Amino acid sequence: MATISERLKEAMLLRNVKQIDLVNATGIGKSSISTYISGSYEPKQRNIYKLAKALNVNEAWLMGYDVPMERLMIEENDSKNIIASNLKKIRADKMLRYADISALSGVSKEDLQAFEEGTKRPKSADVRNIELALDLEKGVLKGKKPYIPTGPDESIPTKPNEIVVDNKHIILSPEEYKKLNEFLGRDLREKNEKYIALKKETTELLEKTIDLIYKNKISEDKLKKLNENLKQIAENNE
């Protein structure tokens, strides 16, 4: 996978943009942009968005992923079209049917299709429920945060009163589902969100560790510190 530094240099060359131009367009300090270009430091998600927007490139591409470079050309104030385009793209990437998303989000199949076709504007609650069902950060469907292609999801529930144990789908009766909720002491969706957050934090930390090891830029002390962070994440999510 390409590095952000490599993609940043490539985009600047193609767009004929100088470092000072990026400073003026993004509001990011000159010294910070210098570290991004040199590869000695990687920008946070907020600055990746600013850089991608200034260079008119796809955020995921800038982060090094094998996706098209070109940014989706949709008017930013047309939220209905942005949501329609993003929903269609993400649903296709995850290979999910309207029925699958409907079962997880509580949004009807008819409304999901209308949202994707751009014939109906979704309410904020619908947007957030769809994001939760698709395991997305808040703001992704509206284009406020980048979507990183992931391919088909792991085995997840697709029907009401359904749970997944060791990748086996188990249908519970409404009474059994209610009893399970009561036993857990919280709603299953809340527990699932906590698991998703833990999975994301753990994955990001592990990817960072592997990247540092690969680049031979990690010391034994640094590795121990990252391991402590990983343990802390697990403890906080118990």
Side-chain angles (χ1 to χ4, degrees):
M1 190 170 85
T3 65
I4 293 178
S5 170
E6 292 169 343
R7 289 286 170 85
L8 192 55
K9 291 174 186 174
E10 183 180 347
M12 290 173 69
L13 181 64
L14 288 172
R15 304 300 192 214
N16 193 26
V17 171
K18 297 179 181 178
Q19 186 173 328
I20 189 62
D21 298 324
L22 280 182
V23 172
N24 293 332
T26 63
I28 301 171
K30 185 177 180 181
S31 59
S32 293
I33 288 182
S34 294
T35 62
Y36 302 158
I37 294 173
S38 67
S40 58
Y41 188 78
E42 291 191 351
K44 303 266 186 205
Q45 197 67 56
R46 179 177 57 186
N47 284 348
I48 288 175
Y49 171 77
K50 290 180 181 179
L51 291 165
K53 187 176 180 182
L55 292 165
N56 193 26
V57 296
N58 186 325
E59 288 92 342
W61 178 87
L62 186 60
M63 293 170 70
Y65 289 90
D66 186 19
V67 296
M69 173 184 175
E70 297 304 319
R71 192 178 184 83
L72 192 63
M73 298 304 291
I74 297 177
E75 290 296 325
E76 292 193 10
N77 60 357
D78 193 345
S79 61
K80 184 171 70 173
N81 284 344
I82 292 175
I83 292 171
S85 178
N86 284 340
L87 179 57
K88 183 177 182 179
K89 176 176 64 178
I90 295 168
R91 190 174 66 83
D93 175 59
K94 292 179 177 289
M95 298 176 66
L96 291 173
R97 302 167 302 164
Y98 293 128
D100 299 331
I101 303 172
S102 177
L104 289 167
S105 66
V107 179
S108 72
K109 293 183 291 184
E110 293 75 19
D111 279 349
L112 286 167
Q113 184 172 357
F115 298 159
E116 190 173 297
E117 292 173 350
T119 58
K120 184 175 182 179
R121 187 184 299 276
K123 297 177 182 178
S124 296
D126 290 334
V127 172
R128 188 58 191 135
N129 285 335
I130 294 169
E131 287 176 330
L132 288 171
L134 293 173
D135 190 10
L136 303 173
E137 286 188 85
K138 186 176 182 179
V140 170
L141 279 181
K142 291 184 177 180
K144 294 180 179 179
K145 289 188 178 180
Y147 167 65
I148 309 302
T150 59
D153 276 334
E154 298 173 9
S155 187
I156 56 174
T158 58
K159 297 181 178 66
N161 304 330
E162 180 179 8
I163 61 172
V164 176
V165 180
D166 293 333
N167 286 328
K168 295 179 181 178
H169 290 243
I170 302 171
I171 305 294
L172 302 177
S173 69
E175 293 76 17
E176 289 172 331
Y177 192 78
K178 182 179 179 181
K179 286 181 180 179
L180 182 58
N181 275 336
E182 292 172 351
F183 174 75
L184 293 172
R186 65 181 66 191
D187 185 79
L188 281 179
R189 181 179 291 277
E190 180 184 343
K191 193 171 184 67
N192 190 48
E193 288 176 24
K194 195 171 184 180
Y195 161 74
I196 290 170
L198 171 62
K199 183 175 70 173
K200 283 185 177 179
E201 287 186 75
T202 305
T203 301
E204 288 172 2
L205 188 59
L206 288 174
E207 285 179 347
K208 181 179 180 181
T209 305
I210 292 168
D211 189 48
L212 288 170
I213 292 172
Y214 179 75
K215 294 178 180 177
N216 198 26
K217 289 184 179 179
I218 189 168
S219 65
E220 185 178 350
D221 289 341
K222 182 70 174 177
L223 188 57
K224 287 180 179 179
K225 181 64 177 175
L226 287 169
N227 189 46
E228 290 172 6
N229 290 345
L230 185 58
K231 288 181 180 178
Q232 188 63 47
I233 291 171
E235 289 172 3
N236 290 342
N237 283 273
E238 286 180 352

